[in-house]
Amino acid sequence: MRGLIFELGSYGLASAAALVLDVGLLTLLVKVAGWQYLIAGVVSFIAGGVLLYALSVRFVFQPRSRRVTNGALELSAFIGLGTAGLLVNTLVMYIAVAGLGLQLLHAKACAAVCTFGVNFILRRQLLFARSPE
C-alpha cells in the first residue's frame, strides 16, 4: 500500500510538471500563435505526455514493475494509453468552453483534474504493475 501511495504522489508531482508544460504551450499556441484551442490542446497535451513519460520511468515507477522492456514501444504505449485521457481532456474542454462559457485556463484546470485519474489508473495497471505470477 505504501508503494501505491508513493507512486500516486510521485505521479502527481510529475503530472504537475507536465501540466505546466501543457498549459504553457497551450497558452502560447492560442494567445501568441493564434491556433484554434482544441488543436492547440491536442499538441500541448502530447508534449506534456512525453515529459510525463520521461519523469514516470525515471522517478515514479520502479524498474521491476515495467512490463515493456523496449523504451520506444513503452513510450508508444504510454502515449497510446494517454489517448483515453486526451479524449477526456478534449471533451471536458469543449463542454467547459463551448457549453459552459468558461475561460480557457479554467476549462483546462477542469480537464486536468478529470484526466489525472484516468491516466494514472490505465498506465499503472497496464504498463507499470508487476505481472501476476
Side-chain angles (χ1 to χ4, degrees):
M1 183 64 154
R2 191 172 8 171
L4 176 61
I5 293 170
F6 173 80
E7 286 177 352
L8 188 59
S10 298
Y11 188 81
L13 291 173
S15 293
L19 182 61
V20 168
L21 173 61
D22 184 351
V23 171
L25 186 55
L26 174 67
T27 302
L28 180 72
L29 292 174
V30 171
K31 305 272 183 189
V32 176
W35 287 29
Q36 197 272 346
Y37 76 94
L38 291 176
I39 294 169
V42 169
V43 171
S44 66
F45 186 88
I46 291 170
V50 171
L51 176 61
L52 180 56
Y53 169 75
L55 295 173
S56 292
V57 298
R58 178 78 170 110
F59 300 111
V60 177
F61 299 108
Q62 299 298 315
R64 68 180 182 279
S65 69
R66 294 170 71 179
R67 291 184 175 183
V68 179
T69 56
N70 180 308
L73 181 60
E74 186 179 58
L75 172 59
S76 298
F78 190 91
I79 297 296
L81 290 172
T83 59
L86 177 58
L87 292 173
V88 170
N89 179 74
T90 304
L91 180 62
V92 171
M93 284 188 62
Y94 176 76
I95 291 169
V97 171
L100 301 175
L102 293 181
Q103 296 285 331
L104 181 64
L105 294 182
H106 293 122
K108 184 61 183 179
C110 292
V113 169
C114 293
T115 60
F116 175 82
V118 170
N119 284 334
F120 177 75
I121 291 168
L122 287 175
R123 289 170 173 158
R124 184 175 190 281
Q125 292 305 113
L126 298 176
L127 283 177
F128 300 109
R130 280 192 230 168
S131 300
E133 299 176 44

